[in-house]
Amino acid sequence: MEERYNPKVVEDKWQKIWADNNSYQVTEDASRKKYYLLEMFPYPSGKIHMGHVRNYSIGDVIARFKRMQGYNVLHPMGWDAFGMPAENAAIQHKSHPAKWTYENIAYMRGQLKTLGLSYDWDRELATCDLDYYKWEQKIFLEMYEKGLAYKKMSPVNWCPKCETVLANEQVEDGCCWRCDSTVEQKELNQWSFAITRYAQELLDDTYQLPGWPERVLVMQRNWIGRSVGCEIDFPVEGGMSKIKVFTTRPDTLFGATFMSLAAEHPMALQLASASQREAVEAFIDKVKRSDRLKRGAEDQEKEGVFTGAYCINPLTNVKMPIFLANFVLLEYGTGAVMAVPTHDQRDFEFAKKYDLPLKVVINPEGETLDPATMTEAFTTEGVMVNSGRFDGMANTDAKEAIADFLEKEGIGKKTVNFRLRDWGISRQRYWGNPIPVINCDICGVVPVPAKDLPVVLPMDAAFTGEGGNPLAKVESFVNCSCPQCGGAARRETDTMDTFVQSSWYFLRYCSPKFQGGPLDRDKVEAWMPVDQYIGGIEHAVLHLLYARFFTKVLRDLGYCNVDEPFKNLLTQGMVIKDGAKMSKSKGNVVDPNALIERYGADTARLFSLFAAPPEKDLDWSDQGVDGSYRFLSRVWRLVFEVLPAIKNAGAVDTAALSGEAKNLRRAVHKTIKKVSEDVEDRFHFNTAIAAVMELVNAIQAFNQKAAPENVAVVREAVESVVRLLAPFVPHFAEELWSELGHAETLDQAGWPGYDAEATVDEEITVVVQVNGKLRSKLTVAPDIAEEAAKAAALADEKVQPFLEGKSVKKVVYVPGRLVNIVVA
RNA sequence: GCGAGAGUGGCGAAAUUGGCAGACGCACCAGACUUAGGAUCUGGCACCCUAGGGUAUAGGGGUUCAAGUCCCCUCUCUCGCACCA
């Protein structure tokens, strides 16, 4: 190897060695502690972007660090390969989604390999492989048997551009998460997973995940949206029917003066009186037509219509007019709300607009509210009034008391309501996992029998772009016979949401080639849970909630014994350039290929790790990349410069060390300690790299006054630099390590330990403050006695002027740090 | 509106337990060398001021011998939820 740093040569060499030796292939090994490190697998969109480079660089540092520490590290990679873009590309290029996808995978795999990432490529999988999705069909059918997968007619989110259904989690601000089109509402017969059955456990377990960022947990808790309250029945006047409401405020029941129903409420039309019928129909029509986006906005004017019907307040027996209101949501609670205008702001505004009665049932402590003069609802805590036997109670106590009373009287019952809805997984698209059922006119929905699995996605679909699901037009796929009655039947043409595949891929990585089922239980037990998961914050509710749900389902189906899939989660920040997220439209994209071509993968990795801590956004700077490259070149030169002198250096003779050499050795061991802690405890790679840079500076400074008898110290210093850099810039470090005369690789050499004794300072700096202001610094022995330190501080000549004419009130001593003299 | 997080030099950032604010790097300035380079090395680099100081971590107040760090108020930004009964 030459003395000039040539990343291309170095990187090609080591990538070949790693590939030839299968260096990162792992098998279960009971003798070592396991570490399962996973980055969210990419969608094969065509080529990798800087976000990938950052994500996978972060992961690779941890993988290599843990490996050097002696862990048996599982570090797999694969492809989230089903999805819309492949289908769109097929239409555009008159090709096939499979071709596009597998070509992209091949190209992107090559790109990842040029980054020198330490994956066990033997475990690679793509979710569009038959060998993957066939097992998912088996899981689906088992979920179907348990009622966890079901089909029903329901209102769904429909993306007109993607021509498919979206789950609630996939609608952002009323728009499609992928293409940003405005989402419409449609009534469709579609498949769902009963994630709501796991709502409570999914919520509870967020409190068992200390290794997750709090904000992700909070987002999941909000999404699950548990609220405790009551269901209460209100009899409709002059009829047998009842309206059921959900409320978290049973304490306000005596103040309920009218009723609000969602426009889509099933009773809406039948309640309408003859005279109101026209108005009610017009209102329902208007609400249905108003788009979801606007309807959700809080500043939307509250509107409603009187149905002409009344119900009875079960506690006061007062007649309550029944309204339809645009702010009541059918999906939440029972789609009906008891309106308490005095204690709910929405009801207050509604009552004012339609001139409905107000009745105060809670007063603020020591005050009396007058409905005639109220300008807003009173929603905080207070004392019960106008509520019969509950008068005088704190309203917080009355919640419980009234709820108990309602239960006793059979009027209502305590319930828990969740905001979480079941996960709609039907997608009216071709490039996905076919839902393995058959629709028979006689037998209804019939699951595909185990012997007929898998349902293979047919390759002869046509991608015309003319709308509709291409799969539904493949006659040979659609037409089949009913497994139950044998009659002619039609195969289901909906495919599964691609988030289904990403909900269990981390489990499949434990036994990616297993043919006995989706998962090899022993292997899963050996590797799971994922010790460290790394990915973008954008999946805080989507993928990360689905994956938790799926893990629990697979546990309950007997496939594994894991409750939570990801022990620790790191959400890395975005890559920003010129103040905006990198995107084609902004023209601020940095192409990883060009970067690697010019500087090498190690520089690209180093910069993306050095510029910011992983969880923060990273501000890309071309000049910063130059700086990282310069640093590596400097280390390279340093090694070759000292190589002839240190080649035959022996071990450091610690007893004989003194002066600068001893200081250098102290710096070496302090750096090892700091880098180990920064990487291990905090993932603060930026400060770890900064510490190595400082050490390099120290070695260079030392070298300028190099004394030949200190070659052993220099060798130790240089070798430590190389070893500490190994997780960050692996090709670079391996090359220098071998140049330094080592036959074993850095992985085999392991992570350096430090000599605690060598880190002990001979002298320390004690800061002297007067009234908290820095006035002097003392250089003293580390074990200086308190009195000696104080005396030295008081006697210091820089301190003296500040003491003149004043009296010393107090002297504070913080051992080894400072003396603060308080004067007045 | 509610919830979470953030605000530190020209820039990216450090400061781990309340104890020297600005490590490390970028940019910039000066110098050295020169086969003139997007090279390397040396030094400087928060602000104000002549030394000695003084002032600075969004703004204001507080606790403390001591506050970027803890408490209260205000402002700004980012993210999430958003009429959830």
Side-chain angles (χ1 to χ4, degrees):
Chain A
M1 202 54 60
E2 47 190 314
E3 292 191 24
R4 205 181 138 75
Y5 173 41
N6 184 339
K8 180 113 185 74
V9 174
V10 174
E11 289 171 11
D12 285 351
K13 172 181 165 184
W14 286 97
Q15 282 163 21
K16 184 165 190 313
I17 290 172
W18 295 331
D20 291 349
N21 296 343
N22 285 325
S23 299
Y24 303 109
Q25 200 178 328
V26 284
T27 48
E28 298 70 34
D29 177 357
S31 70
R32 288 187 294 162
K33 278 180 85 173
K34 71 94 182 178
Y35 194 88
Y36 185 175
L37 178 87
L38 186 65
E39 302 112 44
M40 290 180 187
F41 65 168
Y43 178 78
S45 55
K47 54 185 184 179
I48 61 167
H49 52 67
M50 290 313 302
H52 293 125
V53 172
R54 187 179 193 202
N55 190 182
Y56 303 140
S57 295
I58 291 166
D60 204 47
V61 171
I62 301 171
R64 289 181 182 273
F65 175 72
K66 288 288 170 187
R67 210 176 279 121
M68 286 176 83
Q69 280 188 322
Y71 285 86
N72 189 30
V73 176
L74 173 58
H75 190 207
M77 177 45 74
W79 310 95
D80 188 13
F82 275 135
M84 281 292 304
E87 221 165 308
N88 293 337
I91 293 164
Q92 211 181 326
H93 302 127
K94 304 203 181 340
S95 174
H96 194 280
K99 182 169 184 285
W100 184 84
T101 302
Y102 281 107
E103 281 173 4
N104 286 350
I105 288 174
Y107 183 74
M108 290 173 74
R109 182 193 299 119
Q111 286 189 297
L112 293 184
K113 288 192 173 175
T114 66
L115 277 170
L117 304 166
S118 60
Y119 294 122
D120 178 355
W121 285 106
D122 256 26
R123 291 174 188 260
E124 179 183 0
L125 58 81
T127 56
C128 63
D129 293 340
L130 178 59
D131 190 41
Y132 184 81
Y133 74 74
K134 70 181 181 187
W135 298 118
E136 194 169 282
Q137 293 178 2
K138 182 168 160 50
I139 295 167
F140 177 93
L141 290 173
E142 290 179 34
M143 289 176 73
Y144 177 76
E145 265 172 50
K146 294 242 163 56
L148 284 164
Y150 63 90
K151 190 176 197 180
K152 78 163 192 209
M153 201 61 156
S154 58
V156 295
N157 310 299
W158 178 263
C159 173
K161 182 149 176 238
C162 301
E163 295 187 300
T164 187
V165 166
L166 298 173
N168 285 357
E169 289 81 2
Q170 293 154 17
V171 180
E172 295 168 350
D173 281 337
C175 298
C176 173
W177 70 294
R178 204 180 261 291
C179 74
D180 222 30
S181 309
T182 300
V183 170
E184 298 165 1
Q185 297 299 299
K186 258 195 177 184
E187 192 81 8
L188 273 183
N189 200 10
Q190 69 138 30
W191 286 93
S192 289
F193 284 157
I195 191 171
T196 51
R197 273 204 223 168
Y198 286 82
Q200 189 65 53
E201 191 189 348
L202 287 166
L203 176 66
D204 290 343
D205 285 356
T206 61
Y207 295 95
Q208 311 298 324
L209 292 170
W212 282 43
E214 188 60 23
R215 68 171 174 146
V216 174
L217 296 174
V218 168
M219 281 162 72
Q220 293 213 354
R221 284 173 203 144
N222 289 343
W223 189 262
I224 294 166
R226 180 182 194 264
S227 50
V228 179
C230 288
E231 281 180 1
I232 306 173
D233 291 325
F234 288 71
V236 176
E237 189 194 39
M240 301 303 290
S241 58
K242 288 173 176 172
I243 296 174
K244 194 183 279 299
V245 305
F246 171 76
T247 182
T248 56
R249 297 293 305 274
D251 53 320
T252 63
L253 179 50
F254 283 87
T257 53
F258 62 99
M259 173 72 70
S260 305
L261 305 188
E264 304 91 335
H265 196 283
M267 291 170 77
L269 258 186
Q270 67 197 60
L271 285 169
S273 67
S275 59
Q276 288 297 97
R277 185 161 202 96
E278 210 170 301
V280 167
E281 280 175 353
F283 182 78
I284 292 173
D285 192 49
K286 186 181 171 190
V287 171
K288 278 190 176 162
R289 273 188 295 108
S290 74
D291 70 73
R292 191 185 169 83
L293 231 187
K294 286 211 188 89
R295 201 180 157 191
E298 195 173 352
D299 49 16
Q300 170 90 346
E301 171 90 27
K302 296 199 175 16
E303 270 188 88
V305 65
F306 179 46
T307 58
Y310 293 86
C311 62
I312 307 297
N313 184 319
L315 293 191
T316 62
N317 287 321
V318 167
K319 266 173 65 172
M320 298 163 56
I322 302 170
F323 277 73
L324 305 186
N326 62 349
F327 63 89
V328 179
L329 308 170
L330 182 69
E331 313 88 72
Y332 188 78
T334 61
V337 183
M338 68 173 204
V340 185
T342 46
H343 304 294
D344 181 284
Q345 187 58 26
R346 292 156 300 178
D347 296 342
F348 182 85
E349 286 168 30
F350 196 84
K352 284 286 173 194
K353 178 161 179 172
Y354 294 100
D355 202 20
L356 294 160
L358 275 66
K359 179 185 174 190
V360 170
V361 292
I362 302 169
N363 272 327
E365 190 76 46
E367 274 181 62
T368 304
L369 291 172
D370 177 4
T373 59
M374 284 175 83
T375 55
E376 59 177 10
F378 173 68
T379 56
T380 48
E381 289 168 15
V383 184
M384 303 291 293
V385 288
N386 299 325
S387 299
R389 66 160 91 171
F390 303 100
D391 282 358
M393 279 176 111
N395 78 299
T396 44
D397 297 334
K399 266 185 197 175
E400 198 61 26
I402 293 180
D404 287 338
F405 179 76
L406 293 173
E407 280 199 342
K408 204 177 81 201
E409 298 294 314
I411 300 166
K413 64 168 202 227
K414 296 186 205 172
T415 54
V416 172
N417 193 58
F418 290 95
R419 214 177 67 112
L420 184 70
R421 294 281 80 104
D422 276 346
W423 173 15
I425 59 143
S426 278
R427 295 293 177 272
Q428 291 68 38
R429 302 306 323 171
Y430 165 83
W431 192 232
N433 188 4
I435 293 173
V437 301
I438 288 163
N439 300 306
C440 170
D441 287 341
I442 298 154
C443 309
V445 171
V446 181
V448 172
K451 67 173 174 55
D452 295 341
L453 286 181
V455 176
V456 179
L457 201 55
M459 284 296 117
D460 54 352
F463 302 93
T464 59
E466 277 160 20
N469 183 353
L471 190 52
K473 296 173 190 159
V474 183
E475 295 295 323
S476 59
F477 177 82
V478 175
N479 296 322
C480 60
S481 53
C482 172
Q484 255 170 45
C485 70
R490 292 176 63 79
R491 196 177 289 284
E492 175 65 65
T493 58
D494 280 359
T495 53
M496 292 187 222
D497 184 1
T498 57
F499 279 98
V500 177
Q501 287 92 67
S502 55
S503 292
W504 68 286
Y505 77 108
F506 45 89
L507 290 159
R508 181 70 184 172
Y509 276 146
C510 299
S511 52
K513 293 171 183 156
F514 185 57
Q515 286 307 316
L519 304 174
D520 180 339
R521 213 186 137 105
D522 291 342
K523 300 282 166 78
V524 169
E525 282 178 24
W527 291 112
M528 286 295 287
V530 173
D531 292 277
Q532 183 66 54
Y533 198 32
I534 307 170
I537 186 74
E538 65 272 19
H539 289 292
V541 178
L542 286 155
H543 162 60
L544 288 168
L545 185 65
Y546 295 147
R548 294 182 58 219
F549 160 63
F550 232 73
T551 302
K552 292 174 191 300
V553 168
L554 289 169
R555 174 200 62 195
D556 293 345
L557 292 174
Y559 282 111
C560 63
N561 61 348
V562 188
D563 293 320
E564 283 290 335
F566 313 123
K567 192 170 168 210
N568 295 292
L569 173 69
L570 176 68
T571 50
Q572 108 263 10
M574 287 186 303
V575 181
I576 304 283
K577 190 160 185 271
D578 309 323
K581 184 177 177 174
M582 281 188 186
S583 71
K584 268 186 227 150
S585 57
K586 298 231 172 56
N588 60 350
V589 177
V590 175
D591 175 25
N593 279 3
L595 189 69
I596 292 166
E597 184 60 33
R598 182 156 166 185
Y599 296 98
D602 283 329
T603 294
R605 293 170 56 128
L606 186 69
F607 177 73
S608 70
L609 295 161
F610 176 62
E615 67 277 8
K616 283 187 79 166
D617 285 349
L618 182 150
D619 205 336
W620 194 264
S621 146
D622 293 334
Q623 286 158 332
V625 178
D626 276 327
S628 292
Y629 182 77
R630 273 204 296 270
F631 170 70
L632 292 181
S633 302
R634 202 146 61 89
V635 175
W636 186 273
R637 258 183 278 120
L638 173 66
V639 170
F640 282 97
E641 205 176 288
V642 299
L643 198 52
I646 65 174
K647 209 151 203 168
N648 300 310
V652 177
D653 180 359
T654 53
L657 279 185
S658 64
E660 293 297 315
K662 192 163 185 185
N663 288 342
L664 179 63
R665 184 157 193 273
R666 184 177 307 112
V668 168
H669 286 267
K670 279 188 165 180
T671 304
I672 295 172
K673 180 169 192 279
K674 176 168 172 58
V675 173
S676 305
E677 288 168 356
D678 279 357
V679 174
E680 169 113 58
D681 308 338
R682 311 197 299 163
F683 300 150
H684 279 202
F685 309 130
N686 56 333
T687 53
I689 292 165
V692 178
M693 287 175 170
E694 278 186 84
L695 180 58
V696 170
N697 292 344
I699 298 169
Q700 283 189 316
F702 178 82
N703 263 3
Q704 293 186 337
K705 343 166 204 178
E709 68 269 23
N710 290 325
V711 289
V713 174
V714 173
R715 182 177 182 98
E716 188 192 33
V718 166
E719 292 199 337
S720 297
V721 165
V722 170
R723 292 169 81 180
L724 293 176
L725 286 175
F728 307 100
V729 287
H731 321 81
F732 175 89
E734 286 290 3
E735 181 61 27
L736 290 181
W737 188 245
S738 89
E739 287 289 343
L740 283 161
H742 297 278
E744 56 174 10
T745 65
L746 278 164
D747 277 333
Q748 292 158 343
W751 187 251
Y754 62 91
D755 176 357
E757 215 167 293
T759 65
V760 175
D761 289 302
E762 260 169 6
E763 48 188 30
I764 55 167
T765 302
V766 169
V767 169
V768 184
Q769 297 178 335
V770 178
N771 285 349
K773 291 217 164 107
L774 176 68
R775 296 302 178 192
S776 185
K777 292 178 183 181
L778 306 173
T779 301
V780 300
D783 57 350
I784 188 169
E786 174 163 355
E787 288 315 313
K790 286 180 175 176
L794 287 164
D796 190 89
E797 59 175 16
K798 287 194 195 130
V799 170
Q800 282 293 319
F802 295 95
L803 305 180
E804 254 163 56
K806 311 228 167 107
S807 64
V808 174
K809 296 283 176 201
K810 187 172 169 184
V811 180
V812 179
Y813 178 60
V814 181
R817 286 193 180 264
L818 65 77
V819 178
N820 189 10
I821 303 164
V822 185
V823 298

